[in-house]
């Protein structure tokens, strides 16, 4: 089976107000004293109210789940000891009129200089799934075949409905915020790895972006590791939801490279269609309809998810991943994704109830 690793970004919130607090440096220092955390597992992010983690390379979904629980618990303790709380919500639900300071690294300071307002509003967090590949040619095959299923992943993973104290009406507001960068959203179809490299290189040499790190497509080839990186999903409230999505992504990638039989023929999805389908998924989540890449039309979400599971079924069986994927995915469709639960809790428990739920579910409480 293909190896995988997961990166998660979290927000640091004031436990009383829910406002983002610039304590990432303090939390990282406290995390260094946690015996359950390795130094390379916790990294800084763009803003000082954000922090990022990375699991080791894993072969089993159980490994992924164990690492996420371990890291979230230990980092949650480090945050609490630093006077804040760890929050796995895709966007800061509340914010102050004063921007959160940028992490003072040369790269992040250049980003702030290039796009001040975009940087100040980057109080969003996602999860990235890295899938190990033997070479870049295989990576482009995975990218091209996974690409039409991005709207389903965005809809199921939506966990950012609130922004600056209001309900945005979107299930994944993070998708809209991140989509304002010049190279973002669903990628185009590529002829081969040379085509991919040529087009990315052209963006940099043309002066349109500073470096390849600013290629923020929902799926891209990693420039640092031999992986395909899927970046379309909001960070998940619950660790088991993150494991479910990681398993679904790996199953799609495995199917794309030939596990479980030939990839079924499917009409190409035009870039404008896919962009609109991702926007629709960000707006509605998985509550009603989602884009079906087989027909090129909106269909009931349960039908499209069923088709996706049929596609990856042989890979889930081979990897013995079914029990970590199918029941959690079914629960998400029945009970609602993170966005639906955040809205429900805000209506029933108010601001305090929402914060309590987000903080508790982040660490698996």
């Amino acid at each position: 089976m293909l190896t995988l690793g997961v990166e998660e970004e979290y927000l640091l919130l004031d436990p009383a107000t829910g406002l983002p607090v610039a304590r990432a440096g303090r939390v990282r220092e406290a995390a260094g004293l946690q015996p359950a955390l390795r130094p390379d597992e916790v990294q800084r992010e763009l803003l000082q109210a954000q922090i990022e983690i990375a699991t080791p390379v894993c072969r089993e979904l159980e490994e992924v789940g164990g690492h996420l629980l371990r890291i979230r618990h230990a980092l949650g303790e480090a945050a609490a000891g630093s006077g804040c709380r760890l929050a796995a919500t895709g966007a800061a639900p509340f914010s102050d009129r004063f921007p959160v300071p940028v992490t003072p690294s040369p790269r992040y300071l250049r980003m702030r200089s290039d796009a001040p307002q975009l940087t100040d509003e980057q109080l969003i967090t996602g999860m990235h799934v890295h899938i190990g590949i033997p070479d870049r040619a295989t990576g482009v095959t995975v990218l091209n075949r996974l690409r039409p299923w991005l709207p389903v992943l965005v809809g199921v993973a939506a966990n950012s409905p609130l922004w600056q104290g209001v309900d945005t009406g979107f299930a994944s507001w993070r998708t809209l915020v991140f989509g304002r960068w010049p190279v973002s959203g669903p990628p185009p179809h590529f002829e081969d790895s040379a085509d991919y490299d040529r087009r990315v290189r052209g963006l940099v040499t043309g002066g349109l972006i500073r470096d390849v790190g600013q290629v923020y497509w929902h799926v891209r080839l990693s420039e640092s590791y031999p992986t395909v990186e899927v970046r379309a999903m909001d960070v998940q409230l619950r660790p088991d939801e993150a494991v479910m999505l990681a398993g679904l992504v790996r199953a799609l990638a495995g199917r794309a490279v030939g596990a479980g039989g030939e990839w079924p023929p499917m009409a190409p999805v035009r870039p404008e269609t896919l962009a609109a389908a991702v926007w629709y998924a960000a707006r509605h989540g998985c509550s009603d309809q989602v884009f079906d890449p087989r027909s090129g039309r909106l269909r009931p979400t349960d039908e499209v998810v069923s088709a996706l599971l049929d596609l990856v079924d042989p890979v889930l069986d081979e990897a013995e991943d079914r029990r970590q994927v199918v029941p959690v995915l079914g629960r998400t469709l029945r009970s609602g994704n993170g966005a639906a639960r955040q809205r429900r809790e805000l209506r029933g428990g108010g601001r305090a109830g929402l914060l309590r739920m987000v903080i508790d579910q982040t660490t698996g409480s």
Side-chain angles (χ1 to χ4, degrees):
M1 289 305 301
L2 300 173
T3 58
L4 76 164
V6 173
E7 296 171 336
E8 289 190 317
E9 300 161 345
Y10 310 118
L11 290 164
L12 302 173
L13 303 182
D14 183 282
T17 65
L19 295 175
V21 288
R23 294 191 184 164
R26 197 183 307 180
V27 171
R28 287 186 71 225
E29 185 176 340
L33 303 176
Q34 290 280 339
L37 288 173
R38 299 199 320 230
D40 61 340
E41 291 178 328
V42 182
Q43 295 101 31
R44 58 187 178 179
E45 249 298 333
L46 174 62
L47 299 178
Q48 294 183 40
Q50 298 167 310
I51 204 158
E52 183 179 30
I53 65 94
T55 71
V57 177
C58 301
R59 294 188 177 277
E60 308 291 340
L61 283 188
E62 285 187 357
E63 288 181 78
V64 175
H67 287 306
L68 290 180
L69 278 171
R70 170 181 60 82
I71 294 170
R72 284 186 180 210
H73 275 294
L75 202 53
E77 289 182 10
S82 304
C84 57
R85 298 293 185 271
L86 197 70
T89 176
F94 313 106
S95 58
D96 201 351
R97 60 191 179 91
F98 300 108
V100 174
V102 173
T103 298
S105 77
R107 175 179 175 79
Y108 291 150
L109 291 172
R110 283 195 301 270
M111 289 177 67
R112 176 66 171 71
S113 175
D114 289 343
Q117 191 67 27
L118 266 64
T119 303
D120 290 348
E121 293 183 3
Q122 201 72 4
L123 284 165
I124 54 174
T125 51
M127 71 170 285
H128 308 156
V129 180
H130 284 261
I131 302 296
I133 51 171
D135 50 60
R136 289 174 76 82
T138 303
V140 169
T141 297
V142 171
L143 189 154
N144 285 338
R145 290 180 171 177
L146 193 147
R147 174 178 168 270
W149 295 99
L150 286 170
V152 181
L153 296 177
V154 170
V156 170
N159 182 36
S160 52
L162 308 174
W163 185 253
Q164 298 182 346
V166 300
D167 188 330
T168 63
F170 282 77
S172 176
W173 187 244
R174 167 188 165 272
T175 298
L176 274 292
V177 172
F178 217 129
R180 298 180 299 181
W181 293 96
V183 186
S184 57
H189 184 279
F190 298 99
E191 295 302 320
D192 50 30
S193 59
D195 181 40
Y196 181 97
D197 291 336
R198 183 169 53 250
R199 291 162 78 167
V200 169
R201 194 164 52 245
L203 291 165
V204 178
T205 58
L208 297 171
I209 57 176
R210 284 187 177 271
D211 53 51
V212 294
Q214 290 189 318
V215 172
Y216 296 134
W217 283 319
H218 285 166
V219 192
R220 69 182 185 185
L221 301 185
S222 172
E223 299 298 328
S224 303
Y225 307 102
T227 64
V228 171
E229 183 183 4
V230 182
R231 310 164 44 87
M233 296 86 70
D234 290 355
V235 71
Q236 295 299 285
L237 275 176
R238 297 171 50 141
D240 64 344
E241 293 168 330
V243 172
M244 175 268 290
L245 285 166
L248 201 56
V249 167
R250 178 166 75 164
L252 267 170
R255 194 73 171 83
V257 298
E262 290 294 321
W263 183 263
M266 188 182 301
V269 180
R270 296 178 184 273
E272 65 274 18
T273 300
L274 192 57
V278 165
W279 190 98
Y280 188 94
R283 170 69 176 87
H284 298 281
C286 59
S287 59
D288 184 19
Q289 297 186 106
V290 73
F291 177 73
D292 182 352
R294 301 166 306 163
S295 65
R297 302 177 63 84
L298 293 173
R299 297 288 187 195
T301 300
D302 57 350
E303 291 182 12
V304 180
V305 169
S306 179
L308 174 56
L309 288 176
D310 286 344
L311 175 66
V312 302
D313 190 70
V315 186
L316 292 177
D317 277 345
E318 182 182 344
E320 299 182 351
D321 287 348
R322 179 178 299 281
R323 63 190 177 87
Q324 287 102 343
V325 173
V326 177
V328 180
L329 181 55
R331 185 193 69 204
T332 301
L333 296 182
R334 290 191 308 272
S335 303
N337 56 16
R341 299 202 306 278
Q342 285 199 50
R343 285 182 170 131
R344 245 185 348 250
E345 187 59 40
L346 186 62
R347 287 194 302 268
R351 185 166 178 159
L354 172 70
L355 287 173
R356 187 166 52 248
M357 183 197 78
V358 169
I359 291 164
D360 288 348
Q361 293 195 8
T362 295
T363 53
S365 302

